[in-house]
Amino acid sequence: MREDVADFTIAHEKAQSFYASYERKGELQHQTHYCPGCGHGVIHKMLARAIDEMGIQDRTILISPVGCSVFAYYYFDVGNIQAAHGRAPAVATAAKRSRPHSVVISYQGDGDLSAIGSGEILHAANRGENITVIFVNNAIYSMTGGQAAPTTLIGQKSTTTPCGRSAANEGYPLRVSEMLATLEAPVYIERVGLGDNKQIAQAARAIKRGVENQVKGLGFSLIEVLSPCPTIWKMSAVDAQRWVRDVMEKTYPLGVLCDRTKEARVHAMPAAAPPLEELPRLLDIPEDDPAVDVPEGAAKAVDLQVRVAGFGGQGVLLLGEVLAEAGLDAGLEVSWLPSYGPEMRSGTSNCHVRISNETIDSPMVSSPNMLIAMNEPSLRKFVATVRPGGWILYNGDAIPADCVRSDVHELSIPFTHVADEIGDARITNMVMLGALLEITGALPQASVDSALKRLVKSARWYELDERALERGREIYCGSLAVI
Amino acid sequence: MRKQLMKGNDALMKSAILAGCRAFYGYPITPASEITEAAALYMPKAGGVFLQAESEVAAINMLYGASSAGMRCMTASSGPGIALMQEGISYMAGAELPCVIADISRGGPGLGNIAAEQSDYHMVVKGGGNGCYRTLVLAPYSVQEMADLTALAFDWADRYRTPVVILTDGFVGQMMEPVEFHAAATLPEPPAWAVTGHRETRGNLITSLHIGIDELEEHNRRLEAKYQSAQHEARVEEFCMKDAEIVLVGYGIVGRILKAVTAEARAEGIPVGVIRPISLYPFPAASLRKAVGHGLVFAVVEMSMGQMVDDVRLALNGMRPVEFYGRCGGNVPSHDEVLCMVRKLASDFGCHNISAQEKEQMVHA
C-alpha cells in the first residue's frame, strides 16, 4: 500500500494487466484516447480485471483490431499483436495454434468483425478455435466518423445512410451472435450490454467466463457487448447508455445464445514433437544408398529424350517415371516433366523424360529421339517432332499412311493386345517400356527392377509389370528377326 | 542422404520442414496445391501445424499470427491467390515478420488459366501491396533449387525479418528431378521479439501502425536501409559468359531453355551466354553491368509480355541495347524460337564468326 494513502483502503485499483500510464498521450498519460462515455474503457477494465483474477497476465496474447480500439496494446501489459482490419480471428487462430499454452484474446469492433472480417470470424468460430473473442457492437463505424455498419439499426442515421438505414437498400442488421450460435463448434456465446450498472456487472461476468473457457481448453467463446458511442451517436453519455437499453436491445436482445461448456471436450495439448534426427524418415527421405547393384560403367553414354503420350489412364506418367527412376539408379542424370497446362483437365496426357550422362540443361523435350505414342491422336500430334534417326513406338497395327516418315525408325504393334494376352490391358505401358529399354540398351536391368519395385507396391502388379517388360523386349528382338 | 527423384513442389515442402518450418496455412490453387497437400501430410508428422484456411486472405493473416508467435511459417499459392495475399504481405513487411511464400505462378490476368507463365514478376518483385516495402524473391529453376532455395528463404526471412517469396512456375513445381537435402534438420529458437505468451516476451508488440508522420518516415527509412543492406545477397548463375557478345537473360524454367539454346548456338560459333538471376530482389544488376565489357547486346526472354526486362534495362541504364522475347498464356519460348532470335542478333550486331578451333575451345571453356 502506498505511503501517502496509508490511512485509506483502496477499493478499486488499476488492474495489474494495464500499463501504469498511457505513453502515446504525451502530457496526458493518465487519460485514455477513448471519448468520454465510450464503452471501450469499461470493457478494457473488465477484461484486465479478468486477466488479473485468473493470473494469466504472462500468458495472454491480445489481438488488437483496426478501429477505435486499435491502440488496445498501449493499455494492456500483455503480449500484443495488432492485426489488419477484419483479420484478427485468423491472426488469433495461428497465434493460439503456435503457442497452445497461451491465452489469446481477439478484440474487435462491429465494423471490423461483422463486415470486412465476417469470413474470418465465421470460420474461426466454426473451427472451434480455443480463443476468446470480445465483440464490441456500437452499431456504427466510429473511428472513421460514423458510417453505416452491418449492425446499424433500421432507420438509424449515419454518414452513409443519411436518411436512415433501410432494409430495402442496406439489408437488415446482422445478428452475429445468433448466426454464430447456429454453428456446432462454439462453446459459449453471450450478448451483454453496458446500458446500466446491472448490465455492466453481467458483462464483466460473461467476459471472465469467456476467458476461463479458453484457460480450461473448452473452445471458442464470443462475448458481444452492446456499447455506447456518445460522440458519433451525438448524445450525452447518459442518453447513450439509455439508447443501448431502450433501442439497441430491441434489435439485439441480451442473453446467452449458446452454452456448451458442460458437454465441451477439452482441447488436448499437442503431442511432443519428434526429435529432429527422426525427420528425414518421417518425410520419406531415404538416408541410405539404394540397394541397386549396378556394375560400374554398366550405363552407356546416353542422351535419351523421350516423349510419352496417350490417353489419361494409359499409364503415360508412370511409364516415364519408371524410366526416370531407373536412369537415376543407373547413376545417370534424369528429368521427368508431365504435360502441363490445359491438357491436365482433358483426356490426353504426355510427359517428357530425359536421361543423360551429362547435366541436363532443359527438361523440355521438344524434339524427342524416342516417341512413345500410345494412341493415334498422340502419334499425329508429335510425329513431326521426332528427330531424324530417332524412334517411334506406336500402339497400333501400322502407322497411318499420312504419318509415315522415312527418316525415323518405327515399331508399330497393337501393344494393348499383347498386354491383354499377358493378363491386363493396363500394362500396355510396361510392354512399350520393355521395347524402349531393349532398343536403347542404355539401362541395366537391375536399375529397372529396383525402380519398378519402388514405384509399384502391389506384388501382383509388380509381377505383371515385370512380365510385360520382358514381353516388350522380346517383341523388339522378334521384330529384328523378321527383318 | 542419397539423391531421390521428387517433384519440385514436394522438394520445397520437405526442405521447409527440415529448415524448421512448423506452421503451414494455405488455400489450394493449381499449380501450387501439391505443396499444400504435402504440408497436410508431413507437417503434423513433424509436430507442426497445418490448416487449410478459408481463403488466401485468411491464410496470409494466419502466417501473420504464427510469425508473430515466433514460428517459422509458410504458405503456397499462385497468381490469383498471391494477389489476395498482398494486404497481408504488406502488413507483414510493415511489422517486420518473417515468412516464406511460394508462388507457383500461372497464367493471368484475372482467372487466366492454369498453365505456366511468369507474369507475377511485377506483383511479387515490385511489391503488390500498399506502402514502401520490398519482399526478397528467389527464383528456383530446378527441383534441387526448390529444396536449396527454400532453406535459404527461411534464413533470409529471419535475417532480414521480412517475407521472402519463392517465385517459380508450374514446370518447376510439377517436374521430377533427383534431389539431395544437404542440411540436417534444424529448429531455431523463437526470436526475442516474438510474442510467445511467456513472461519474457510479455512486453513485446507486433504492429505495422506508426501514426506519427515522423515516426512512420523513420520506420520506412529503416526498412529501406534494411533492403539496401540485403543487396549483397543478390544471386545469379552465369553460363558461358566469359566472352559472350549476346547475353541472354532469363529466370526459372526459361533459364533451362536458354542454357540448351546456348549450347546449340555455341556449336554454330555464336558467342552467346546466359545470365540467370536466382534472386529477383535483390536483383543481380552488378552481374549485368559487368557483362557490358564484352556484351554487344542483351536479350531478355520471359514467359510474359515483359516484366523483368524493365529491371535489366534499369541495370544497364542505356549502356547496351536490350531486346525482348516473350511468350505467354502457357506457351513456352521454344528452343527454335530463341535460337532464331540469337542468330538474328548475331547477324544484326556482327558478332564474331569464329573458327572451328576457337569454337571447340569455347564450348569446352
Side-chain angles (χ1 to χ4, degrees), chain A residues 78 82 99 284 336 340 361, chain B residues 42 64 69 114 176 206 256:
Chain A
V78 297
Q82 194 281 320
R99 305 292 168 201
D284 299 321
W336 174 97
Y340 179 69
D361 42 28
Chain B
Y42 291 115
Y64 186 99
I114 57 164
M176 287 203 292
I206 304 294
R256 303 287 290 261

Side-chain angles (χ1 to χ4, degrees), chain A residues 14 81 86 154 284 392 404 453 459:
Chain A
K14 185 183 252 185
I81 301 172
I154 293 292
D284 299 321
I392 297 172
V404 168
K453 199 160 275 176

Side-chain angles (χ1 to χ4, degrees), chain B residues 45 68 90 112 122 134 149 169 190 228 257 305 316 335:
Chain B
K45 290 185 184 180
S68 296
S90 168
H122 278 162
R134 292 288 197 160
L149 296 184
D169 53 74
Q228 289 310 316
I257 297 165
M305 288 290 94
L316 296 175
H335 295 210

